[in-house]
Amino acid sequence: MAAILTVDGLHKSFGSHQVLRKVSFTVEPGHVVGLVGPNGAGKSTIMKIILGLIPYDRGQVTIGGQSVGITSHQALGQVGALIEYPGIYPFLTGKQHLQLFAQGPDKQKRVDAVVHDMGMEKYINSKAKRYSLGMKQKLGVAQALLNEPALVILDEPMNGLDPAAVKSSGILSGLRQTLAPAS
Ligand SMILES: Nc1ncnc2c1ncn2[C@@H]1O[C@H](COP(=O)(O)OP(=O)(O)O)[C@@H](O)[C@H]1O
Ligand SMILES: [Mg+2]
């Protein structure tokens, strides 16, 4: 199957500090791929480059065969992402956040589906200022999955979730729903 994401020979330096040297990998549709490495290894830098947020020095990134860079964001229409902490509006409810980001004719259906898949029913109608860190994090992941993107990029999605919450967070089942082949 053709790769949804191709990272080929990526180089990136911040000033004289070389962070990425010839990084290459591909991701096929329906697969979950983890970037593993100690703090400072360059994981977030790779994800920011894939999302066209920061420039790179050499190499190529393509999503669905289309090149991505700091000035070419067209391919990112098929991508959902959460990088670092989600941007939260304290006076909106979780559901209002999702309604704001939902696209297409089935907006309400998409919102209800992601709330259900991630088990957020209990607090989705409360204002986000009352959310715990973990609840905010889940809302950020829900936003990333909401529009059933072809590619999902999550940077430390379990931030702020305790072990029990990780297990029951619904993030994995939400991902499974998103990645399941259309029936
Ligand atoms: N904007 C920046 N300016 C300078 N150095 C940076 C910047 N962003 C990241 N770095 C450096 O790049 C390295 C990789 O960072 P990062 O990709 O955030 O690592 P990870 O996500 O694997 O912990 C670190 O040494 C970090 O200090
Ligand atoms: Mg990081």
Side-chain angles (χ1 to χ4, degrees), residues 39-40 42-45 47 84 155-156:
N39 290 336
K43 306 176 296 293
S44 295
T45 301
M47 290 187 255
E84 290 163 358
D155 191 356
E156 305 207 25

Side-chain angles (χ1 to χ4, degrees), residues 28-121:
E28 297 201 354
H31 288 240
V32 178
V33 173
L35 293 182
V36 181
N39 290 336
K43 306 176 296 293
S44 295
T45 301
I46 293 173
M47 290 187 255
K48 286 175 189 166
I49 289 173
I50 291 168
L51 294 168
L53 294 171
I54 58 172
Y56 49 96
D57 306 327
R58 249 200 292 161
Q60 197 180 32
V61 176
T62 59
I63 295 175
Q66 265 185 307
S67 189
V68 177
I70 190 95
T71 57
S72 26
H73 286 179
Q74 212 180 342
L76 296 172
Q78 36 182 338
V79 180
L82 175 60
I83 295 288
E84 290 163 358
Y85 298 98
I88 299 283
Y89 300 97
F91 293 100
L92 296 185
T93 66
K95 187 169 262 181
Q96 286 168 332
H97 280 82
L98 296 173
Q99 287 163 338
L100 209 55
F101 287 94
Q103 290 171 2
D106 297 330
K107 279 185 192 185
Q108 196 53 49
K109 252 169 120 178
R110 285 178 190 275
V111 171
D112 293 342
V114 81
V115 169
H116 175 262
D117 293 343
M118 295 192 58
M120 302 173 74
E121 289 96 340

Side-chain angles (χ1 to χ4, degrees), residues 6 19 26 48 63-64 86 90 94 119 152 170:
T6 306
V19 173
T26 58
K48 286 175 189 166
I63 295 175
V152 182

